[in-house]
Amino acid sequence: MEKIIIEVGSNNTKIDLYNGKEVKHLKTEVIEFKKNYKKENKLDEKDINTLINIVKDYEKNYENIYVCGTSIFRNLTEEQNIEFLNRFYKETNLKFDIISQEKENELTVIGTTRNVNDKVAVLVGGGGSTEITIYENGIKEMVNSPIGVVDIMNKFPDLADDFATTDIETIKNEIKKKIKLPKEKADILILAGGGHLYFALNSGINYQKNNLYTDELQPVMMDIETRKKDTDRYYKEISLDDIRKKVDNPNWWYATRAMCAFVLVVAEEIGAKYIIPTDISMVYGLLDN
C-alpha cells in the first residue's frame, strides 16, 4: 500500500510517497513556523491552517498518511502542545508525531549510511536545530544544537538578497558561538535533512561524481577547497534572483546561504576532506523502523 510521509519542520514541510519499494519526493512546502512563532511566542494561525489544508488535500487520494514534526514543535509549551495536537487530530483525524532531536538525527543517519563503510560525519541542518553525528559501523558520537538557519536569517536578512552584503566569515563566527561540535574527526561529511543535492545541482557550485562509495541517492561530491571557494562565490557572485527565476520553488532558497555557512563550520571543525550533498531525510529511517 502506498504511504504518504509528511515531515513538518521549522521552515520546510517535506512530502514523500513510499510505494512499497522506493521513496519519491513529491514536494517541499515552505511554512515559516519558527519565524512566525517568535512574533507572539505561539504557532501562527495561518501556518496551522496551511498545514492542515495540505494534509487534507492528500487525504483525498491516500488512506495511509503519517505526519510528524521536528524543531519548533519540540519547543511548544505543554498547553500549546496539547492544544495543537488535539486540533490537528480533530481536523484531520490523524496523529501528529513530534520527533525528538535525538530520534530525528538517528533516523536520518540510518538513511545516509546504508552503503557507507568508512568513518563519516552526518550533518542534519534545519530551520531551528542542527544535529551532527560521527558514524563508524554505528553511531560513535552525536551532538545537537537548538540553532538553525532561521536563527541566522533573523540576524542577517541580507543573506536572502540577490547578493549578500555580510561576508561568510562573519556568519561562520556567529554560528561558532552557538553550535555544539563533535570531538571526533572524519574525512567525509554527508549533508542530509533536506535539499542539499538539489542545492548543489541548481546553485551553480561545482561538483564531481561521488567516487568514494556507490549510492544512487548520493551521486555527487566536492572536495573541501572547492566547497570553500564556491561558498564565497555563492555569497558574492552568484545571483540568487537569477536562481529563483529558474526554479519551481523560489521561496526554498531563502536560507541557503546560511546553510552553506553551517556546512563550512562543521566541515572545517571535523577536518573533512570531502562533502557529499544528499536530499535524504529521516523518511528513510522511519520506513526502516
Side-chain angles (χ1 to χ4, degrees), residues 24-40:
K24 179 183 179 181
H25 181 65
L26 298 181
K27 197 171 185 181
T28 297
E29 299 276 2
V30 177
I31 310 176
E32 296 179 314
F33 278 107
K34 181 168 183 175
K35 180 180 178 181
N36 294 328
Y37 180 90
K38 287 191 172 184
K39 294 176 181 177
E40 297 184 20

Side-chain angles (χ1 to χ4, degrees), residues 16 53 105 129 153 166 193 195 203 226 277:
D16 296 285
N53 287 333
N105 196 15
S129 62
M153 295 305 298
T166 306
S203 62
T226 296

Side-chain angles (χ1 to χ4, degrees), residues 254-269:
Y254 164 75
T256 49
R257 287 192 176 113
M259 181 56 74
C260 285
F262 275 91
V263 170
L264 286 188
V265 167
V266 176
E268 291 168 359
E269 177 64 24

Side-chain angles (χ1 to χ4, degrees), residues 61-270:
N61 298 307
Y62 299 94
E63 294 181 6
N64 193 2
I65 299 177
Y66 172 76
V67 188
C68 63
T70 61
S71 193
I72 187 61
F73 296 95
R74 297 190 282 255
N75 299 330
L76 301 180
T77 66
E78 183 176 358
E79 182 179 350
Q80 290 173 338
N81 181 291
I82 294 171
E83 180 181 353
F84 171 73
L85 295 181
N86 287 341
R87 175 178 173 184
F88 186 85
Y89 183 79
K90 181 179 180 180
E91 296 196 34
T92 67
N93 204 33
L94 293 172
K95 178 184 176 184
F96 187 97
D97 193 9
I98 298 177
I99 307 292
S100 71
Q101 193 170 28
E102 291 75 18
K103 189 64 175 178
E104 177 186 6
N105 196 15
E106 179 184 334
L107 291 169
T108 307
V109 170
I110 289 172
T112 58
T113 57
R114 296 169 302 160
N115 299 303
V116 174
N117 295 317
D118 299 314
K119 183 179 184 181
V120 300
V122 179
L123 168 63
V124 182
S129 62
T130 301
E131 296 87 43
I132 308 164
T133 298
I134 303 295
Y135 179 94
E136 188 176 24
N137 297 317
I139 293 175
K140 296 189 67 176
E141 184 181 5
M142 182 188 295
V143 289
N144 303 322
S145 306
I147 177 178
V149 293
V150 173
D151 301 286
I152 295 301
M153 295 305 298
N154 286 339
K155 188 164 185 178
F156 302 97
D158 67 280
L159 297 187
D161 292 343
D162 192 20
F163 300 97
T165 53
T166 306
D167 65 274
I168 180 66
E169 292 303 321
T170 298
I171 305 301
K172 286 165 59 180
N173 288 334
E174 182 67 22
I175 294 170
K176 288 176 185 177
K177 294 176 186 176
K178 301 176 181 179
I179 194 173
K180 296 178 182 178
L181 294 161
K183 296 178 181 178
E184 294 266 350
K185 306 297 182 182
D187 287 345
I188 300 170
L189 175 62
I190 301 174
L191 310 180
H196 296 281
L197 177 59
Y198 171 75
F199 170 79
L201 299 180
N202 292 280
S203 62
I205 69 171
N206 293 292
Y207 55 86
Q208 64 185 80
K209 181 180 178 181
N210 180 2
N211 56 28
L212 298 173
Y213 55 87
T214 301
D215 187 326
E216 63 180 10
L217 298 178
Q218 306 182 55
V220 305
M221 69 180 200
M222 63 279 299
D223 63 81
I224 185 64
E225 292 305 319
T226 296
R227 185 71 186 219
K228 287 179 182 178
K229 291 176 183 177
D230 282 355
T231 298
D232 195 54
R233 283 200 308 117
Y234 191 58
Y235 270 59
K236 298 176 181 178
E237 300 174 20
I238 295 178
S239 168
L240 206 53
D241 287 349
D242 284 349
I243 293 173
R244 291 183 179 120
K245 292 174 185 176
K246 299 174 184 177
V247 298
D248 294 332
N249 192 354
N251 290 336
W252 182 88
W253 292 81
Y254 164 75
T256 49
R257 287 192 176 113
M259 181 56 74
C260 285
F262 275 91
V263 170
L264 286 188
V265 167
V266 176
E268 291 168 359
E269 177 64 24
I270 67 169

Side-chain angles (χ1 to χ4, degrees), residues 14-25:
K14 289 167 278 189
I15 304 161
D16 296 285
L17 170 65
Y18 179 62
N19 63 11
K21 295 181 179 180
E22 59 185 5
V23 175
K24 179 183 179 181
H25 181 65

